[in-house]
Amino acid sequence: MNRDSCWRELRQSAEALKPRHLSEFLADETRFEKLSFTHDGVLLDLSRHRFDCRTLDRLVQLAEASELRTAISDLTEGRPVNHTEQRAALHTALRTPPGQRVEVEDENVIEGVHETLNKMESLVATLHSGQWRGYNGEAIDTLVNIGVGGSDLGPLMACHALEEFKPDAAQGIEIHFVSSMDGSQLAGLLDRLNPATTLFVLSSKSFTTIDTLANAATACQWLIDASDEPRELLLKHHFIGITAKPEKASEWGIPLQNQLLFWEWTGGRYSLWSAIGFPIAVAIGMSGFRQLLAGAHSMDRHFRHADFHENLPVLLALAGVWNINLLDIHANAILPYDGRLAHLPAYLEQLEMESNGKSVRSDGSLVEQRTCPVLWGEIGPNAQHAFYQLLHQGTESVMCDFIVPIRRYAAQSAHLQEQHRLALANCLAQARVLALGDKALDDEGADAQPPWKRYRGNQPSTVILVDELTPYSLGQLIALYEHKVYTQAVIWEINPFDQWGVELGKKMATQMLDALEDPDSNEALDSATRGLLDQIRKRREPA
Ligand code: F6P
């Protein structure tokens, strides 16, 4: 069957299924058994989606008709799937064990990957053993990652999630993240830090990102002012550069031995597995970092080899396609029931929206249907006291992803274990109420309630369970979402690996910088921008 006939059949299924409430689907006692899937400890429960098994078969047919199998080989074997930039997107190679071959331009990239991991390992060991010294000979005890987007969100998310996995050697090292261009994070931090014992990790794939370079310049000047030492010496003792552009890092002054490199074929938002993950390796040790890679690799192999009917990333993607394209649901809430995953929503916002927020197909034509939904999220229990009102009684249909570990606090107090049970209970309660609405309580009196106390339910959700949150399971989880994004991109025929949409704003900001200083350059601007510039200029000087 070709794509068009798959879409046609799916539209027919949607017409037939749309009037059915999720409570009708859930009346089937075998539903969980039929619609939950497991791989290597990760459980994906799709039973609260508004489809039946026949529809899922049709969605799988759509994936096959979209030549997903070939597309997966193209991705993992290093073909130039990012065709607008003529390059591969080989994040899977970053977690491939040594001894295997993946070639880009006749070079086996796996060797380079492991050389970099080894260099990371020795830098981590130098830091953990207190041998990395600042300008006055004191050991480094603070690391500040300066980066933005993919050079910030992944390490930030993983370091926060895996704090409990800090080995003893890393206990003495504090890690901070600075990203915002306005300097607000940095300003507060510099007041508290000791310049003699602080190491800045300057992370930027392109080494041209103004946000990062501006923060780096401020940090460097702070060091110069505090130490009275020459810039060159300070860069040697207090800066590591992580980049795919070593020549630019060298030009900025970072010595070669302080550079950790990665490759153009590593997309920024797919880069936490590369040297960009250095802060993670410092935080959880190199063996923890290798566990993270191993978890992702397990999901890679599954994505590559499992039948689509059992393939977690493919199924997660297909549930999304069903909701977005067939049921017209264009919002996706990411709801981890674990405070350690506080930064996961922001991480997935970039991963999904920067990848699939596209409206032009790979052949240059306009897409004919919706692509990436609006994604946002928050720690689930906190969001219950904030935006869940909209999920339960608003006018928007929203698909929700609930993510929760089954076990936590095994070696800690009974009170904490009780708190985890509380979180689990709330997660299950919310998924159930969103699906069933009033009917969840089996309360005969629901019909008699006033309209503002009614719950219509019928909001679809996915539940993802892992046994415990560990470096390994976090690796699996992130790779699950990466491959979900790729699968959807293949179905929508878009390129998930470029981000041309962010470029115009960067150019315009350069023009605005001039416009702020030079009123004569404003004439060609629109009246709204001119009005704001006038106001800013007038009010800039303190009265
Ligand atoms: O402007 C968008 C973007 O290029 C992202 O794709 C990227 O993750 C981020 O900026 C940071 O880029 P870099 O690592 O090159 O500084």
Side-chain angles (χ1 to χ4, degrees):
M1 210 186 309
N2 66 23
R3 274 180 200 237
D4 287 346
S5 5
C6 289
W7 281 116
R8 214 172 13 256
E9 287 209 354
L10 282 166
R11 276 192 285 272
Q12 282 164 9
S13 305
E15 283 318 306
L17 295 181
K18 256 184 200 165
R20 291 180 60 188
H21 192 277
L22 256 172
S23 57
E24 294 174 49
F25 293 102
L26 286 166
D28 173 2
E29 289 298 320
T30 62
R31 193 157 166 91
F32 179 78
E33 212 174 290
K34 289 189 288 208
L35 287 171
S36 63
F37 308 87
T38 312
H39 164 68
D40 194 10
V42 180
L43 184 141
L44 178 73
D45 174 12
L46 300 179
S47 58
R48 275 167 229 80
H49 284 281
R50 287 158 52 193
F51 52 45
D52 54 19
C53 292
R54 186 126 51 92
T55 313
L56 196 54
D57 285 341
R58 293 202 170 120
L59 286 162
V60 167
Q61 279 175 352
L62 174 67
E64 277 157 4
S66 305
E67 297 184 32
L68 178 62
R69 191 59 73 194
T70 312
I72 295 174
S73 307
D74 289 345
L75 176 78
T76 52
E77 288 167 20
R79 282 186 272 285
V81 286
N82 177 357
H83 69 91
T84 64
E85 295 173 301
Q86 292 94 45
R87 59 190 186 219
L90 265 175
H91 36 288
T92 50
L94 297 168
R95 49 240 190 176
T96 298
Q100 305 198 21
R101 280 196 83 77
V102 175
E103 287 188 7
V104 172
E105 288 163 9
D106 296 333
E107 196 186 314
N108 181 15
V109 298
I110 305 301
E111 284 169 13
V113 164
H114 287 276
E115 276 164 26
T116 303
L117 284 171
N118 293 341
K119 182 165 179 189
M120 273 169 79
E121 184 147 32
S122 68
L123 282 180
V124 170
T126 316
L127 274 165
H128 281 178
S129 60
Q131 284 168 32
W132 189 298
R133 308 272 167 175
Y135 63 85
N136 68 0
E138 278 184 74
I140 292 298
D141 61 10
T142 305
L143 192 142
V144 180
N145 189 80
I146 300 182
V148 72
S151 300
D152 167 67
L153 290 167
L156 169 68
M157 180 269 293
C159 283
H160 189 79
L162 301 174
E163 229 166 73
E164 288 160 23
F165 294 86
K166 236 181 187 192
D168 286 346
Q171 293 297 341
I173 302 184
E174 255 184 50
I175 303 183
H176 302 277
F177 290 86
V178 162
S179 55
S180 80
M181 140 199 298
D182 68 319
S184 49
Q185 293 158 318
L186 193 59
L189 204 54
L190 296 184
D191 285 342
R192 293 189 277 124
L193 297 185
N194 175 1
T197 58
T198 299
L199 178 69
F200 293 97
V201 176
L202 187 35
S203 290
S204 175
K205 179 179 174 186
S206 60
F207 228 85
T208 56
T209 304
I210 191 72
D211 323 42
T212 301
L213 294 179
N215 276 321
T218 302
C220 187
Q221 193 57 48
W222 171 75
L223 277 167
I224 295 171
D225 294 344
S227 67
D228 225 7
E229 297 286 351
R231 185 174 190 269
E232 201 184 330
L233 178 127
L234 292 168
L235 291 180
K236 184 164 160 229
H237 289 271
H238 294 273
F239 273 87
I240 287 182
I242 301 180
T243 187
K245 294 281 188 209
E247 63 290 350
K248 291 211 164 77
S250 301
E251 209 176 291
W252 198 83
I254 299 198
L256 262 186
Q257 72 272 19
N258 289 12
Q259 294 180 19
L260 282 170
L261 304 182
F262 62 108
W263 303 270
E264 286 297 341
W265 49 255
T266 308
R269 55 194 169 275
Y270 300 85
S271 65
L272 77 87
W273 323 99
S274 72
I276 289 289
F278 180 66
I280 310 172
V282 174
I284 63 171
M286 205 58 199
S287 68
F289 189 68
R290 289 187 196 278
Q291 278 298 303
L292 184 82
L293 301 181
H297 181 64
S298 157
M299 193 56 75
D300 295 343
R301 288 181 51 77
H302 172 72
F303 182 50
R304 194 157 178 186
H305 301 294
D307 187 283
F308 290 164
H309 287 93
E310 299 166 356
N311 194 313
L312 270 56
V314 173
L315 293 167
L316 183 60
L318 292 176
V321 166
W322 173 255
N323 289 326
I324 297 159
N325 299 123
L326 284 313
L327 299 185
D328 275 332
I329 300 177
H330 306 297
N332 187 177
I334 304 295
L335 306 165
Y337 272 67
D338 187 318
R340 294 171 295 180
L341 294 174
H343 297 288
L344 183 67
Y347 176 80
L348 293 182
E349 282 162 20
Q350 185 195 17
L351 177 66
E352 298 226 6
M353 296 198 279
E354 201 175 57
S355 296
N356 283 349
K358 312 278 167 69
S359 49
V360 173
R361 285 191 288 222
S362 298
D363 65 5
S365 61
L366 280 182
V367 294
E368 281 158 9
Q369 54 198 347
R370 306 287 280 263
T371 59
C372 187
V374 173
L375 234 92
W376 92 108
E378 181 52 84
I379 300 170
N382 295 2
Q384 286 178 202
H385 301 282
F387 62 72
Y388 273 42
Q389 167 64 37
L390 177 146
L391 303 181
H392 288 299
Q393 291 186 319
T395 52
E396 292 302 312
S397 283
V398 179
M399 52 185 150
C400 298
D401 290 15
F402 294 98
I403 301 160
V404 66
I406 297 171
R407 293 194 299 269
R408 197 176 169 193
Y409 301 127
Q412 281 157 284
S413 76
H415 276 101
L416 281 172
Q417 289 176 28
E418 186 52 36
Q419 286 197 255
H420 178 54
R421 267 196 296 281
L422 206 56
L424 274 171
N426 272 271
C427 179
L428 299 182
Q430 293 297 335
R432 186 168 150 77
V433 173
L434 282 171
L436 299 177
D438 291 327
K439 297 185 186 74
L441 264 189
D442 213 10
D443 180 355
E444 301 278 295
D447 291 350
Q449 292 290 341
W452 51 88
K453 289 194 175 174
R454 299 297 306 267
Y455 296 79
R456 68 173 186 285
N458 217 22
Q459 295 277 42
S461 65
T462 299
V463 179
I464 301 174
L465 298 180
V466 293
D467 290 332
E468 286 181 83
L469 184 63
T470 60
Y472 188 88
S473 65
L474 184 67
Q476 290 178 302
L477 202 57
I478 303 167
L480 168 69
Y481 275 94
E482 284 179 349
H483 297 322
K484 167 207 165 179
V485 166
Y486 185 62
T487 299
Q488 292 186 334
V490 170
I491 289 174
W492 292 325
E493 300 171 79
I494 56 179
N495 175 6
F497 299 118
D498 61 12
Q499 58 283 323
W500 295 106
V502 302
E503 292 308 319
L504 188 55
K506 292 181 190 171
K507 261 197 209 148
M508 190 48 59
T510 314
Q511 199 176 324
M512 289 300 122
L513 211 50
D514 295 338
L516 272 168
E517 301 313 319
D518 175 14
D520 294 344
S521 69
N522 295 358
E523 271 159 32
L525 299 173
D526 63 276
S527 62
T529 310
R530 273 200 324 269
L532 287 176
L533 282 165
D534 278 351
Q535 285 293 317
I536 292 169
R537 248 186 260 106
K538 275 187 208 139
R539 302 200 206 172
R540 197 156 46 172
E541 300 307 326

